[in-house]
Amino acid sequence: METIKLRKITSLWIITVLFLFIVNIVLGILMRLNQGEIIHEQPATFYAHMTTHGLTQIGIWFVAGMAGINYLMERYLKTSYLANVVAMVLTVTGILMLWTSTYIGNFHAGWTFLYPLPLKIMWAKWATPMFLGSILVMGVGWLTWAVSMMTQTLKKYPLTKALAWQYFRKNPTIQTPPFILISMITLIGIVACLLGAVLLLAMYAAEYYSNGAFVNDALLMKNLTYFFGHTIANEMLYLGLAVIYELFSEVGGRPKWKTTWYISLAWNCTLVFILTAFFHHLYMDFVQPVGFQIIGQIASYMASLPAAGVTVFSVLVAVYRTPIKWSLTNLLFFIGVAGWVIGGLGAVIDVTITNNFVLHNTLWVPAHFHTYNALGNVLFSLAFFHWFSIQFSENTNSEKLTKLKITLLLIGGIGFLMAFYIGGAESIPRRYSNYPAEFPMAVPLAIGAAVFATIYLAAILIFFFQICKRCLNILFSAS
Ligand code: HEM
């Protein structure tokens, strides 16, 4: 059973994430307005926005998922409150360091900080160690939190049970809840990619402080960067899915989902393949051994398709011709799964090597990952935030403005994403602060995207005010 302390810190996570999300959407709209030539920023300012927006988004939706699984995990086992607090303190410190490096130090090498960009100083000299330090600080906080949740889980479920391997034999006697299975699979991936980040940062530090005596291998650095960046961006989606497996049937008034052999198999595949899917980021690096490129394509299919297959199947079976209680929570889960699958299909199209020759580094890339984030994972977490906040609210009208919020989210989200997809199909490059005249569609698409993103922002503002009001009550209540 969760404690009052856990309830309060979960409320604080929710308020922090939603506040930073709003600021971050504003940065996104500013970028689109600049690309649409409505405002005129220096390229360095555009790239400072892009760096800040990218890393902050990854950070907040990662911690949103972690806060969600930490809260729900208390249904099965005791988690560490101290690890949760450490993660909170280090996340806030890291975000402040990041924003200092980008907006005071003017660091603007992108959230992927591809080698050797951070070392080619075009900003305050201190901004490079400050930016890399921000990742270290957040990474240590998240590693502590993930390792702590893993060890607590292993105390109750030995590894083979946590990974639900007993389902590969007939009539398993011990049950593993799907929530525990997916959380464990995801936490292992998170720990692996965060350790990769620590190694990457150590190698940057070695070169930075060696005064030219030591130079890194660029290909190795790129592999490590995407092992960290791609993996964490995908694992955070699975945190949201663990929450769905736990709550979707419950809020619909249906029996709890159970683990079966095919759910266990699908998620165990995900564990293996998610760690090698990142190779698809290196298709255009022709010095990369060809075998890795092939692994990249196969692993990208295998990491997404089985998990998506069983999740979509479970969700459809749960709602098809079944009288379920629809509420804002399961509506968000349902639409979020659709967004995740559509974005996933966009990704699968892009990771297919023959297509990648055309789509590589076009707006197709932000198109697909914004789909499974802005209309996928964000909705999973919003569903959790809403569900959590109404647990302790005396106001019975928790479904107020549901239609308006969903309509604004969908109109704003789909319009904003379509501009990216059409841009990608038109071969418009990503990460341009201003588009060259050769792409006449780019400017009108950027303006349209800014308008739709503002509609999406309106929905998020309503969520913010409603959910934060309830969370503040939880935070300041005596019990
Ligand atoms: C309505 C909300 C959002 C808006 C308006 C927005 C806008 C943008 C824009 C304009 C870019 C630059 C794209 C380019 O030209 O290459 C961008 C990049 C990025 N966005 Fe968003 N975004 C939103 C939501 C999100 C969400 C929910 C995430 C969650 C993870 C996210 C993560 C990122 C990342 C990681 C990048 C960096 C991409 C890169 O380095 O190429 N964004 N966003």
Side-chain angles (χ1 to χ4, degrees):
M1 197 52 198
E2 106 280 352
T3 59
I4 296 171
K5 284 190 301 190
L6 179 61
R7 215 181 278 175
K8 287 185 189 285
I9 195 161
T10 307
S11 304
L12 196 56
W13 277 119
I14 293 175
I15 297 168
T16 313
V17 167
L18 285 177
F19 171 72
L20 286 171
F21 188 38
I22 289 170
V23 181
N24 240 357
I25 296 177
V26 173
L27 293 183
I29 294 173
L30 287 178
M31 282 190 278
R32 280 320 239 160
L33 287 175
N34 192 64
Q35 292 170 328
E37 296 175 8
I38 300 286
I39 59 172
H40 301 277
E41 292 181 325
Q42 292 296 322
T45 311
F46 174 92
Y47 289 110
H49 290 334
M50 202 181 84
T51 308
T52 315
H53 170 92
L55 190 53
T56 310
Q57 292 285 41
I58 298 292
I60 59 176
W61 295 111
F62 172 76
V63 293
M66 289 288 279
I69 66 157
N70 191 152
Y71 184 78
L72 292 170
M73 205 171 262
E74 284 276 324
R75 291 175 162 193
Y76 300 99
L77 46 100
K78 187 90 206 82
T79 61
S80 159
Y81 175 69
L82 179 65
N84 201 328
V85 174
V86 168
M88 163 69 79
V89 172
L90 294 186
T91 301
V92 173
T93 311
I95 293 279
L96 290 174
M97 288 169 71
L98 162 70
W99 285 60
T100 308
S101 75
T102 51
Y103 287 122
I104 301 179
N106 203 22
F107 181 90
H108 54 270
W111 88 273
T112 45
F113 56 103
L114 256 190
Y115 180 85
L117 283 182
L119 305 175
K120 304 279 167 208
I121 312 261
M122 291 175 210
W123 39 75
K125 197 162 185 292
W126 55 264
T128 287
M130 175 72 90
F131 173 84
L132 296 175
S134 77
I135 298 181
L136 182 67
V137 168
M138 286 189 274
V140 169
W142 301 345
L143 201 54
T144 311
W145 203 5
V147 169
S148 139
M149 272 198 261
M150 255 172 77
T151 45
Q152 293 302 101
T153 307
L154 288 173
K155 280 186 195 159
K156 178 152 177 201
Y157 300 88
L159 188 62
T160 53
K161 300 291 173 298
L163 296 178
W165 287 355
Q166 73 273 27
Y167 290 87
F168 299 140
R169 272 184 264 112
K170 272 201 178 142
N171 306 324
T173 44
I174 297 176
Q175 300 286 317
T176 304
F179 172 80
I180 293 293
L181 164 68
I182 303 172
S183 300
M184 191 61 178
I185 296 272
T186 311
L187 289 171
I188 294 174
I190 289 169
V191 169
C193 74
L194 289 175
L195 289 175
V198 172
L199 179 61
L200 175 68
L201 293 173
M203 288 164 76
Y204 263 118
E207 181 164 342
Y208 183 83
Y209 293 110
S210 78
N211 290 326
F214 171 73
V215 177
N216 278 296
D217 178 89
L219 187 64
L220 177 61
M221 294 297 271
K222 188 165 179 186
N223 273 284
L224 272 176
T225 303
Y226 281 105
F227 176 66
F228 158 62
H230 173 87
T231 312
I232 195 143
N234 277 261
E235 296 288 1
M236 66 192 200
L237 270 158
Y238 299 147
L239 295 172
L241 289 178
V243 172
I244 293 193
Y245 274 74
E246 180 65 18
L247 289 183
F248 190 81
S249 52
E250 181 178 317
V251 291
R254 305 290 307 159
K256 232 181 167 67
W257 291 355
K258 291 209 161 69
T259 305
T260 55
W261 69 265
Y262 54 86
I263 291 191
S264 168
L265 180 66
W267 282 98
N268 276 277
C269 280
T270 304
L271 167 65
V272 177
F273 292 110
I274 193 69
L275 297 177
T276 42
F278 77 92
F279 285 130
H280 64 230
H281 282 276
L282 288 102
Y283 285 159
M284 294 296 150
D285 295 85
F286 300 111
V287 287
Q288 179 90 333
V290 176
F292 288 155
Q293 312 290 32
I294 296 166
I295 293 175
Q297 176 167 327
I298 296 171
S300 305
Y301 280 55
M302 295 301 294
S304 53
L305 297 181
V310 293
T311 306
V312 170
F313 177 73
S314 306
V315 168
L316 287 182
V317 167
V319 298
Y320 184 67
R321 292 197 173 177
T322 311
I324 74 162
K325 229 167 59 204
W326 282 103
S327 61
L328 180 57
T329 307
N330 49 11
L331 260 178
L332 287 168
F333 280 144
F334 191 80
I335 300 170
V337 170
W340 171 52
V341 171
I342 296 168
L345 286 175
V348 166
I349 291 174
D350 193 22
V351 298
T352 306
I353 293 177
T354 42
N355 299 337
N356 196 266
F357 280 114
V358 182
L359 295 173
H360 194 87
N361 273 348
T362 65
L363 285 182
W364 192 270
V365 182
H368 76 68
F369 76 70
H370 278 89
T371 310
Y372 54 67
N373 280 304
L375 282 187
N377 194 26
V378 168
L379 305 202
F380 300 161
S381 285
L382 279 182
F384 170 75
F385 293 174
H386 173 76
W387 172 85
F388 167 84
S389 72
I390 61 176
Q391 299 302 300
F392 313 102
S393 161
E394 275 150 29
N395 185 349
T396 45
N397 192 7
S398 58
E399 303 294 302
K400 209 167 137 192
L401 302 180
T402 292
K403 274 194 193 143
L404 177 68
K405 284 182 286 190
I406 297 279
T407 311
L408 291 175
L409 266 185
L410 283 176
I411 294 178
I414 293 172
F416 161 68
L417 294 168
M418 280 313 288
F420 272 152
Y421 279 111
I422 298 170
E426 287 287 318
S427 294
I428 298 171
R430 72 194 276 210
R431 295 178 173 161
Y432 268 44
S433 61
N434 298 97
Y435 294 112
E438 285 76 10
F439 299 103
M441 296 265 292
V443 168
L445 280 174
I447 298 172
V451 173
F452 281 108
T454 309
I455 298 173
Y456 181 93
L457 174 62
I460 299 297
L461 281 170
I462 306 175
F463 275 108
F464 175 78
F465 286 116
Q466 291 183 327
I467 294 176
C468 288
K469 196 169 149 216
R470 294 187 210 114
C471 284
L472 283 171
N473 281 338
I474 299 171
L475 203 56
F476 293 113
S477 73
S479 60

